[in-house]
Amino acid sequence: MQNFVDPAILFFVFGVLAGALKSNLEIPKSIAKFLSLYLLMALGLKGGFALAQSGFTVTIALSLSAALIMAFIVPAIGYAFLKNRVSRFDAAAVAAAYGSVSAVTFVTAIQFMETAGLTPGGHMAVAMVIMESPAIIMAVLLANSIRHMQGQEALRSVGAAAAQPIASGVPPLGKILHESFTDGAHLLLLGSMAVGFISGEAGKSMMQPFSGDLFKGMLAFFLLDMGLMVAKNFKDAVKASPALIGYAVVSPFVHAGLALGLSLLMGLPVADAALLMVLSASASYIVVPAVLRYAIPEANPAIYFGLSLGVTFPLNILIGIPLYTEIAQRVLG
């Protein structure tokens, strides 16, 4: 219930309602981009300050290892479930979106947990970056494998000439991986974390008005914009097949459960486990769609973008974050 009286969450709900009513309320793209960059910079600084205070420990290494394991498990499960229910290119794209992470969901979870009295480790921002790319890599490799199989089938049926155009227009794997690893959001987050780590306690005091006092208001403003976007993309989500809609609703809780089991096995702290559950349950609607648009042009963007933003994002914001936190506290607390 606490999550539903949080001003930032209420602004998200207001944005969804305004969008559903077809209001002309909108946040200019330049301002929305600034808000996104601000949140990443503030989050990176907070993580760097926390790391400077705690140092690199065995617990941190375990948390990062758990994040890397989940980054491979989630897309593998997603593709295995979807490959025989939808087109294999769509299955690979959806698996990539759900195997990757949502920075906004993560930032909202950080704010919720701090309000609830939990203090997540700054290293979990690194975990978020670690979990972004493996799913993209797996999806690109799967798509290349699918194209190869289709090419072989075409060769057998109509000859080499007909199979030649199949892979045309697809950027090389190296270029795609470079784009995913050098994404501006990742670099800003890691760079801000480095600044926070180097400047330490003195930097924290100097940046408090920026990275601390302004954070809640900026998050509320950004979630208002996200609510408007959810309303616009919901119609694309509901057009998807029942199997995809079911996956978008159920898979976040399955992935969060797997993350909880792994956290229990590895003995992670409550706050780290809760954030790992949030990251595992989230889906990317920014970085992954931007990369897959060119990496897997055969997939339908309305499916993987609409589902992640129109269904899974609001589900996690309104229900998932408080639920994952509560379960982590009960099981590990």
Side-chain angles (χ1 to χ4, degrees), residues 14-329:
F14 170 65
V16 173
L17 292 175
L21 293 172
K22 301 188 185 303
S23 166
N24 63 354
L25 174 64
E26 64 176 354
I27 309 299
K29 289 184 178 180
S30 57
I31 294 178
K33 184 174 183 180
F34 164 75
L35 291 170
S36 176
L37 293 175
Y38 164 79
L39 291 173
L40 288 169
M41 182 181 286
L43 178 63
L45 285 169
K46 286 184 175 186
F49 297 145
L51 274 176
Q53 189 173 33
S54 67
F56 194 82
T57 64
V58 173
T59 299
I60 291 176
L62 287 173
S63 295
L64 296 182
S65 299
L68 187 60
I69 292 170
M70 289 303 302
F72 284 99
I73 289 176
V74 171
I77 292 174
Y79 182 73
F81 175 77
L82 293 171
K83 66 179 181 179
N84 295 321
R85 291 173 170 84
V86 296
S87 119
R88 295 207 169 196
F89 286 114
D90 284 333
V94 172
Y98 280 77
S100 192
V101 295
S102 163
V104 181
T105 307
F106 180 74
V107 171
T108 307
I110 292 276
Q111 183 62 46
F112 174 83
M113 291 172 65
E114 288 179 349
T115 303
L118 291 175
T119 306
H123 58 278
M124 291 306 292
V126 178
M128 183 181 75
V129 175
I130 287 174
M131 294 180 75
E132 184 81 67
S133 296
I136 297 175
I137 296 170
M138 289 177 67
V140 171
L141 294 176
L142 283 169
N144 285 342
S145 174
I146 295 166
R147 292 186 193 106
H148 177 72
M149 287 189 296
Q150 289 182 343
Q152 293 300 312
E153 290 174 3
L155 278 169
R156 286 192 295 269
S157 60
V158 295
Q164 190 63 33
I166 289 174
S168 62
V170 179
L173 180 60
K175 185 177 186 300
I176 294 166
L177 297 183
H178 176 267
E179 288 180 5
S180 69
F181 281 118
T182 60
D183 176 70
H186 288 175
L187 291 180
L188 177 61
L189 181 65
L190 292 175
S192 302
M193 187 175 296
V195 170
F197 181 77
I198 293 169
S199 59
E201 195 62 35
K204 182 178 181 180
S205 299
M206 286 187 283
M207 296 299 289
Q208 176 59 28
F210 175 82
S211 60
D213 299 340
L214 285 176
F215 188 85
K216 186 75 173 180
M218 291 290 200
L219 177 61
F221 204 177
F222 188 70
L223 284 178
L224 169 63
D225 183 50
M226 293 308 304
L228 292 168
M229 287 185 64
V230 165
K232 290 177 183 176
N233 287 276
F234 184 72
K235 61 178 182 291
D236 289 330
V238 296
K239 291 177 184 176
S241 71
L244 284 169
I245 294 175
Y247 177 80
V249 172
V250 175
S251 66
F253 301 105
V254 174
H255 300 159
L258 291 172
L260 177 64
L262 185 60
S263 300
L264 187 62
L265 184 66
M266 300 182 75
L268 301 188
V270 174
D272 286 10
L275 278 179
L276 183 64
M277 291 171 73
V278 169
L279 286 170
S280 301
S282 69
S284 173
Y285 50 83
I286 298 176
V287 176
V288 170
V291 174
L292 294 190
R293 180 181 176 186
Y294 301 101
I296 312 181
E298 302 92 338
N300 183 357
I303 292 177
Y304 55 81
F305 183 76
L307 289 174
S308 60
L309 184 57
V311 178
T312 301
F313 177 75
L315 182 69
N316 278 324
I317 293 293
L318 298 175
I319 299 172
I321 290 173
L323 179 63
Y324 308 146
T325 304
E326 175 69 20
I327 292 174
Q329 286 178 306

